Amino acid sequence: MFEPAAIALIPLLPALAGALTLLLGPKILKQQSHWPLIIACVGSFLISLLGIQALTSPTLEIRQIVYQGGTWFATLGSNPVSVGWDFRLDPISAMMVPMVLFLATVIAVFSIGYMKDDPAYPRYFGVFSIFVAAMTLLVLSDNIVLLYAGWEGVGVCSFLLIGFWFQKPSALKAARKAFMVTRIGDVGLLLGILLLWSGCGFTLQIPTLIEKAKLLSDEYLYLAGFLLFIGAMGKSAQFPLHIWLPDAMEGPTPVSALIHAATMVTAGVYLIARFLPLLTMSPDLLLLIAVIGGITAILAALIALTQNDLKRILAYSTMSQLGYMFMALGAGRSDISGHSLVTFAMVAAMFHLFTHAFFKALLFLSAGSVMHSMGHVIDLRRIGGLRTVLPFTHIAFLSGALALAGVLPFSGYWSKDEILVAIDSASHGPNRDGVYKILTWLGLITAGLTAFYTFRAYFLAFWGEVKIPVEALSHGQHGHENDHGYASTHHEVNHDPYGSVSDPTKAHESPWIMTLPLLVLVPAALGIGALFGPTHRMMDFLGSAPGFHADHGDHSASKWVAMASQVFGLGGIAVAFLLYVAKPGMAVSIRKMAGSGYNLSLNRFYLDEILTILFVRPLQILGWLIQALDRELWDRLVDAVARIPAWLGDKFRPVQNGLVQFYALAMALGLTIFLVFLAFGDRLFR
Amino acid sequence: MELFAAGQPGLFRFEYFFALAIGALGIYLLLPSPRGKASVAGSIATLGSLGWLCFLGLAPGGFTIETGLFHLFAALALVGAVFLVTQTNPARAALSFVMVVICVGGLMLLLAAPFLMAANMIVYAGAIVVTFLFVLMLAQQDGPSDADNRSREPGLACFTGLALSASLLLLLQRDQDNADRGLGQMKALNAPVAELRLKQEQTLRREANGRPTAPADNTTFLGQTLYTTLLLPVELAGALLLVATAGAILIAQRRPGTEVTP
Amino acid sequence: MIQIMDLPPGLTHYLVVGALLFVLGLVGFLARRNMILMFLNAELMIQGVALNFVAFARHRGNLEGQGFVLFLLAVAACEAAIALALILVLYRTQHSLDVSLWQNLREEGLEPILDEEPLPLSPLEEKSPSLTVAGPGPAQPEETSHV
């Protein structure tokens, strides 16, 4: 029998591991700092598997296990706030938690090799552990404030890990940017939470909130849901709050794999999926979510087309896929006659989240392996033909690319297919069907673009003539022994950016501790979609979540999109092959033909600059004004006040004339005043 | 009968204030000044003020031998004090201080403290003033110096003295008022004291007419008090004297390089 | 039986005399510039205080006040010893007892206070008889005409 209290252990174990590592790491554990994290992750993973087993037992009436571990804080009064350590394991969190923990374990093992010899090794694993704790807390909490605590916790850990190499100015800047941009979202989420709290009788339990919120007025619901969605936008890098994610690639690559691809960025999707039964009451909001998702998907895909940085391509791809998930969630309409799409949309989004986590983690880890071997050079113009140099990494990247491109038997196909079907089904409803039709086509085009840019990166990195950057040769196998990973940018400035050699004998495949996690992830990334998708296992499991119901409805009307996406995907791969392998010259001529379009994509549609002008500059001007006001007005006032005693002192200083008798005179007069006070004080102060 | 007892409560006795003001004016006139001092006017003002004060002091009770002696000693002490303050010649000032000490001794005798009278005279008139005179002669071998013919802000000094004495009298008067009205500290002070006073009077030797003699046992009782309740302060005072002796020797030592020959 | 303290020289009489002695000492201390006189004035103030103590001792009918006067005497003796030693040291450096010569502790940048008014000739000098110098008489102007 599964003890409910064990749920609380899932976040607790990594938290303890983090505390242990941070406290003991620098002095005692040192290069063994990874052990607490790995042990805690494996432990929590096993607990979560036991939890799933308990959850699927037929004796359970409602598919959830609730554990209430006492009060965290509470206030009295007419509007009580009571936040408890409430955990709930239901199918949605039961899907997320093992996924997070499994990937965390694999990536932690990979990090052992990747972060080897870094002087801040214990700090890395300490913050990593805290992140895992916060992420599982976020997913498992039954209380929306506890969820918010986990939400902020992952934000802080993300900040700390992006800025892990804080000696590097760009990393610092990226960390700050990520923190500030997600903060906008976090404020939205907090306001949304407060609105729901005050609107729903001051409860904070998520299921009760969802139940009670259905009675709210449309406007109230729309506003609260919109604020929640802003939070999700910030965390999941949706347009226009997406600008932090590409910069977040400044962090160590395993961090990018775990936090900025597989887990943290999906927290927004998780949040919206959790509240989908509530949000579906407001069709306008759903449409907004879908449109924002669609814009993000196509925009990120278009930007990814021309990027030269392998990690950045993957980052934009992540954004694009997150856009897919939001599109799916936005399709969760309940106003279609006959059947509600809520469960179907939620399952589609969560399923894609699930498969995406595996293959995107695999892709990032492969990129990390490439970086490790290439002396931290990731510029696609300087590497090439690596399939013979790095055979294991090549297989891993290819698998990930196939899954991401959605080629038929692999996992990306099954989940993306469901999303497209969900959106297309939504377009058969009354009202707003036109928008959903456009979104369907956007999704299809994005699928093609995804296949193209993924394979563009793949062909550029692993095919063609062998190109190995000089850094890889000078540092060899232990590339970042001395430069801790940030010197490579420095090199790039000094050397010819295209400086490459083609002597494959000097570059080496990464050590086994890094290739092993890759090879473990390959089957997971490839097969997990087929295991859960067509067999309806995911639908049965997730659909049994409280508030949802399994939906095996007939979506045959939308089956055409699956075929279309396959065509688009394969087409994209073929174009990529044509341009970058078969006829390399064509890419250049197309680039010239595209002209300004190419530049637009290369410069990320100038969105960073536009947002800077729209928001950052006015704020800077405001800050400058406030500073000037502070310095010129208030400061001077304070100085003036400070000058009064000095002035008085100047006036009274001559009293100290050095004559003893004047001092005695002052004493005597003082004594007189005291005596008069003694005589009349009681009358004065009566 | 106390000094202020006959007055109306709450009203300041302006006659005291005027007497004091005239005295202050007299002292101002008597103080040495480069323009020379108005000796006659100052003396008249000071003596007038003293006479007025004596009259005010005599007024409430009527004349007895004791009041007569009290006023004699008090007036002589104050005259000596005025001399001390206003004399140009320091040696004469020191001698007038001896007069003050003797008169205060007489007042102490009136207050039934014969031992203190003797000690006061011996220590002050006999020891301290003589030492002062020695130092004076050592320092001022060529007669009075310029400094003795000048005063430092005589007007301000006299004003301060007037203000302080007026406020002190005011305080005493207010205290008496409060006592008369059954308020304040005097009553509280008097309550436990009455018993003590009774006890003391019973132990006093009395003459045939019932009037107590001057307590000749004063020395015995004082010695008992000093070596019982005040033992620790006595020891401390002894230590203080020792330290002061050592300090005086150390300070007065001749050190090379500190002297300037004129 | 006659109540002692009900007779006219009551506590307040003595207190007033003590206060006046104290104030006169203070005035002298403030106005006089001879250091020795200043200390004599300080002793005068102590006399006033001593009188207060004795009067209170009489008033309260105990001997603590008188005992305290003895301590006062001890302290006055100490004070006199130290003060005279200090005066000697000061006198040795300046060869004057004028306290106004010691203004070294005044505020920086402040001019010392100097005596502006000239002293008149001392009465001693004024009144001392001036004898003619012995010897031949002073030269007389020659007579211009012999009639």
Side-chain angles (χ1 to χ4, degrees), chain A residues 406 413 444 448 451 560-574:
Chain A
Y413 168 78
L444 285 172
W560 66 273
V561 291
M563 299 312 296
S565 87
Q566 196 53 199
V567 171
F568 274 95
L570 289 175
I573 295 172

Side-chain angles (χ1 to χ4, degrees), chain A residues 459 463-464 574-586:
Chain A
F459 287 132
W463 288 70
V575 171
F577 182 79
L578 186 70
L579 288 184
Y580 296 102
V581 181
K583 291 188 176 172
M586 254 174 88

Side-chain angles (χ1 to χ4, degrees), chain A residues 93 145 358 386 484 663:
Chain A
S93 47
V145 173
F358 285 97
L386 299 181
H484 316 310
Y663 300 158

Side-chain angles (χ1 to χ4, degrees), chain A residues 653-654 656-658 661 665, chain C residues 29-30 32 102 106-107 113:
Chain A
R653 231 154 17 129
Q656 302 278 336
N657 57 10
Q661 287 163 318
L665 186 81
Chain C
F29 188 86
L30 295 179
R32 300 310 302 270
W102 304 91
R106 68 180 179 276
E107 190 65 26
I113 295 171

Side-chain angles (χ1 to χ4, degrees), chain A residues 30-328:
Chain A
K30 288 175 182 158
Q31 294 304 309
Q32 303 301 317
S33 300
H34 47 269
W35 285 112
L37 169 64
I38 291 174
I39 291 167
C41 280
V42 170
S44 292
F45 180 62
L46 294 177
I47 294 172
S48 66
L49 286 186
L50 288 175
I52 291 180
Q53 197 196 14
L55 205 60
T56 47
S57 80
T59 52
L60 210 63
E61 274 182 28
I62 307 171
R63 298 242 167 262
Q64 63 176 25
I65 301 170
V66 179
Y67 170 67
Q68 293 189 324
T71 310
W72 177 15
F73 62 87
T75 63
L76 302 171
S78 53
N79 304 342
V81 177
S82 173
V83 181
W85 296 102
D86 305 335
F87 296 98
R88 186 163 67 120
L89 192 72
D90 69 350
I92 299 179
S93 47
M95 183 213 87
M96 289 281 284
V97 170
M99 176 200 95
V100 170
L101 290 167
F102 175 74
L103 287 173
T105 313
V106 171
I107 292 169
V109 172
F110 181 86
S111 302
I112 297 172
Y114 191 83
M115 300 304 291
K116 188 165 169 280
D117 299 329
D118 194 288
Y121 195 77
R123 177 160 58 94
Y124 175 84
F125 283 97
V127 181
F128 199 122
S129 310
I130 303 279
F131 169 78
V132 175
M135 188 70 203
T136 45
L137 178 73
L138 190 164
V139 173
L140 283 172
S141 68
D142 191 25
N143 187 305
I144 197 160
V145 173
L146 205 58
L147 183 147
Y148 188 70
W151 185 276
E152 294 293 352
V154 293
V156 168
C157 292
S158 157
F159 168 78
L160 290 174
L161 287 170
I162 295 169
F164 182 74
W165 287 311
F166 53 80
Q167 302 94 327
K168 192 161 68 163
S170 60
L172 263 187
K173 222 175 144 191
R176 205 164 56 220
K177 188 172 177 181
F179 200 67
M180 294 311 288
V181 175
T182 49
R183 186 118 307 270
I184 298 170
D186 293 351
V187 171
L189 175 62
L190 183 61
L191 292 177
I193 289 173
L194 290 176
L195 269 188
L196 283 179
W197 169 75
S198 64
C200 302
F202 310 111
T203 177
L204 290 166
Q205 302 299 114
I206 293 173
T208 329
L209 269 183
I210 293 174
E211 273 316 304
K212 288 195 176 174
K214 287 179 179 170
L215 306 171
L216 293 172
S217 71
D218 284 353
E219 292 78 19
Y220 199 98
L221 199 62
Y222 182 81
L223 188 62
F226 179 66
L227 287 169
L228 287 185
F229 178 54
I230 285 185
M233 272 161 74
K235 199 57 102 190
S236 294
Q238 293 302 291
F239 175 84
L241 297 181
H242 67 275
I243 49 173
W244 66 272
L245 187 56
D247 291 6
M249 296 302 131
E250 290 287 347
T253 309
V255 167
S256 310
L258 181 70
I259 300 185
H260 305 117
T263 54
M264 186 194 84
V265 288
T266 60
V269 179
Y270 168 80
L271 181 78
I272 298 299
R274 246 287 171 252
F275 282 92
L276 199 60
L278 175 67
L279 304 179
T280 190
M281 312 284 289
S282 173
D284 290 333
L285 187 62
L286 276 187
L287 190 69
L288 180 77
I289 294 173
V291 168
I292 293 279
I295 291 175
T296 311
I298 187 88
L299 197 71
L302 283 173
I303 295 171
L305 288 181
T306 58
Q307 298 300 311
N308 289 318
D309 184 319
L310 184 55
K311 270 182 84 178
R312 247 163 236 269
I313 293 176
L314 294 177
Y316 281 109
S317 149
T318 305
M319 263 171 66
S320 176
Q321 301 303 309
L322 290 168
Y324 260 119
M325 295 171 209
F326 278 104
M327 265 204 285

Side-chain angles (χ1 to χ4, degrees), chain A residues 620-673:
Chain A
Q620 276 176 342
I621 290 169
L622 185 70
W624 180 85
L625 274 177
I626 290 170
Q627 193 198 18
L629 194 72
D630 195 48
R631 191 175 292 159
E632 298 301 321
L633 185 64
W634 302 124
D635 228 29
R636 279 172 192 235
L637 267 179
V638 171
D639 283 354
V641 170
R643 249 181 246 123
I644 291 173
W647 176 81
L648 277 177
D650 249 15
K651 293 287 154 216
F652 280 106
R653 231 154 17 129
V655 167
Q656 302 278 336
N657 57 10
L659 276 173
V660 183
Q661 287 163 318
F662 272 100
Y663 300 158
L665 186 81
M667 270 170 65
L669 283 175
L671 181 66
T672 310
I673 292 169

Side-chain angles (χ1 to χ4, degrees), chain A residues 534-655:
Chain A
T535 55
H536 295 297
R537 276 186 191 142
M538 190 56 94
M539 172 60 83
D540 290 340
F541 185 63
L542 286 183
S544 65
F548 296 94
H549 50 88
D551 172 20
H552 296 289
D554 182 21
H555 297 287
S556 55
S558 305
K559 283 298 175 197
W560 66 273
V561 291
M563 299 312 296
S565 87
Q566 196 53 199
V567 171
F568 274 95
L570 289 175
I573 295 172
V575 171
F577 182 79
L578 186 70
L579 288 184
Y580 296 102
V581 181
K583 291 188 176 172
M586 254 174 88
V588 182
S589 53
I590 288 176
R591 184 188 305 168
K592 277 179 186 153
M593 267 167 60
S596 61
Y598 175 80
N599 281 329
L600 215 55
S601 165
L602 189 66
N603 291 305
R604 317 168 201 175
F605 290 90
Y606 298 101
L607 277 173
D608 274 40
E609 286 77 5
I610 291 167
L611 288 175
T612 302
I613 290 166
L614 280 184
F615 297 105
V616 180
R617 290 275 169 262
L619 283 175
Q620 276 176 342
I621 290 169
L622 185 70
W624 180 85
L625 274 177
I626 290 170
Q627 193 198 18
L629 194 72
D630 195 48
R631 191 175 292 159
E632 298 301 321
L633 185 64
W634 302 124
D635 228 29
R636 279 172 192 235
L637 267 179
V638 171
D639 283 354
V641 170
R643 249 181 246 123
I644 291 173
W647 176 81
L648 277 177
D650 249 15
K651 293 287 154 216
F652 280 106
R653 231 154 17 129
V655 167

